[in-house]
Amino acid sequence: MPRADFYIVPEPAVPYRFVCQLAEKVRNEGYDIYIHAATREEAGTIDDLLWTFRDTSFVPHAVIDSTGGMEDYPVIIGWKGEEPLRRQVLINLSAATPGQTDAYDRIIEVVPSAAEERQQARLRYKDYRARGLEMHSHNIESTRA
């Protein structure tokens, strides 16, 4: 059964460094990841940070509009308007619930403290639960690295 993990963070906006840390941790566990950003600009921000967020590590990745060879990368970044790729883990940064939740072993949601984002996350939580996913919530005190 797929699982959904909601990481509730104290920041009012998505903490991209924390998203990169999650991607690195999940990748180190051996999973392939699709990061579904809300916009092309957000995808670009994550792309840039995955190169630089930590001095001592690198997360091999590609942006979906890169040419060819997507399956060769353990982490792929896309955005709204693109159908999320089927990978083992989806890190969903968009407000929408993916259509095929059973296509993933795990779905990760990063929930900022802003009221609108929290409300959207509650709706996704209810949707995932109604689809039968195993639900987990994690309150994160700080996302500073």
Side-chain angles (χ1 to χ4, degrees):
M1 166 181 6
R3 70 181 268 165
D5 288 277
F6 282 70
Y7 289 86
I8 293 89
V9 297
E11 287 82 355
V14 173
Y16 297 116
R17 187 178 239 24
F18 180 67
V19 171
C20 291
Q21 291 169 340
L22 281 173
E24 180 182 50
K25 180 180 180 194
V26 171
R27 179 61 203 143
N28 287 342
E29 292 171 358
Y31 296 101
D32 288 333
I33 305 163
Y34 178 72
I35 301 174
H36 192 64
T39 64
R40 181 184 296 248
E41 293 75 23
E42 186 174 60
T45 298
I46 295 166
D47 176 33
D48 290 344
L49 273 174
L50 282 172
W51 289 99
T52 62
F53 82 99
R54 197 179 306 240
D55 290 340
T56 59
S57 66
F58 167 70
V59 178
H61 67 281
V63 178
I64 206 164
D65 64 353
S66 301
T67 57
M70 284 290 143
E71 63 280 348
D72 295 335
Y73 291 92
V75 177
I76 298 174
I77 307 164
W79 56 88
K80 188 175 179 179
E82 299 284 339
E83 181 64 25
L85 293 179
R86 292 180 184 218
R87 308 289 276 186
Q88 293 165 305
V89 175
L90 168 68
I91 298 176
N92 185 34
L93 303 178
S94 77
T97 303
Q100 303 248 341
T101 55
D102 59 346
Y104 307 98
D105 294 337
R106 183 176 176 196
I107 297 172
I108 295 173
E109 297 271 353
V110 177
V111 183
S113 67
E116 184 177 332
E117 282 81 2
R118 292 268 171 129
Q119 182 57 33
Q120 291 171 348
R122 284 184 189 102
L123 295 174
R124 291 192 306 276
Y125 188 97
K126 288 177 185 176
D127 190 15
Y128 291 142
R129 188 176 56 205
R131 293 179 190 208
L133 274 71
E134 179 184 326
M135 304 302 295
H136 299 270
S137 293
H138 313 274
N139 284 312
I140 306 301
E141 296 296 320
S142 172
T143 58
R144 304 213 186 275

